[in-house]
Amino acid sequence: LPERLSLLLQLNGPPECDAHNLECLRSIVAKAQTFPLLAAKLHANGHGALAGFLAAELARATELSLDPKDIPLAAEMLLEMAFGNTLTQPLRPGAPLLPQAQIDRRREFAIALFLRGFSVKP
């Protein structure tokens, strides 16, 4: 389970695109009121889809002591633990991007902490 969650929570894409993705996110947030359908679709296809994949993986995991009705909430919490507040970086123009090693460490730490909370050893 820890390995499967780690794979799901890895960002895919060339590292040089991070700055462009950040600017795109800033634009989307700034124009969400003007283009609410576009913002909602981007959220559903990104964050929403990943939360769904995590929920499906958690539902299949027999080693978790997790009430099935809490699985969507648990998936959202794991996602937030692994990635942090999505708006922190966009609200800090000019701040350096986090090093990949720090992103990887946060992801693995979040998974370990999450699984320990539900009686699973990573």
Side-chain angles (χ1 to χ4, degrees):
L1 181 60
E3 293 82 13
R4 295 190 310 268
L5 294 176
S6 183
L7 283 172
L8 281 172
L9 291 169
Q10 287 184 27
L11 297 175
N12 298 319
E16 61 273 6
C17 290
D18 289 346
H20 299 295
N21 291 343
L22 191 54
E23 286 308 315
C24 184
L25 180 60
R26 283 186 180 116
S27 299
I28 291 167
V29 170
K31 294 294 184 177
Q33 282 294 99
T34 307
F35 303 104
L37 187 59
L38 175 62
K41 283 186 177 186
L42 286 169
H43 182 269
N45 290 332
H47 179 94
L50 183 51
F53 294 143
L54 286 172
E57 194 63 46
L58 295 175
R60 279 192 293 276
T62 58
E63 62 269 42
L64 291 178
S65 59
L66 185 59
D67 188 319
K69 71 176 176 17
D70 292 331
I71 288 175
L73 177 61
E76 285 286 340
M77 291 177 72
L78 177 56
L79 194 53
E80 291 172 10
M81 289 169 64
F83 292 118
N85 185 335
T86 309
L87 291 178
T88 299
Q89 194 70 35
L91 292 175
R92 298 175 47 216
L97 296 174
L98 294 175
Q100 188 61 46
Q102 189 174 345
I103 293 168
D104 294 344
R105 184 175 185 281
R106 181 186 179 112
R107 179 187 62 246
E108 298 309 317
F109 185 74
I111 292 168
L113 186 63
F114 178 85
L115 293 177
R116 280 188 199 117
F118 292 104
S119 304
V120 175
K121 294 194 182 220

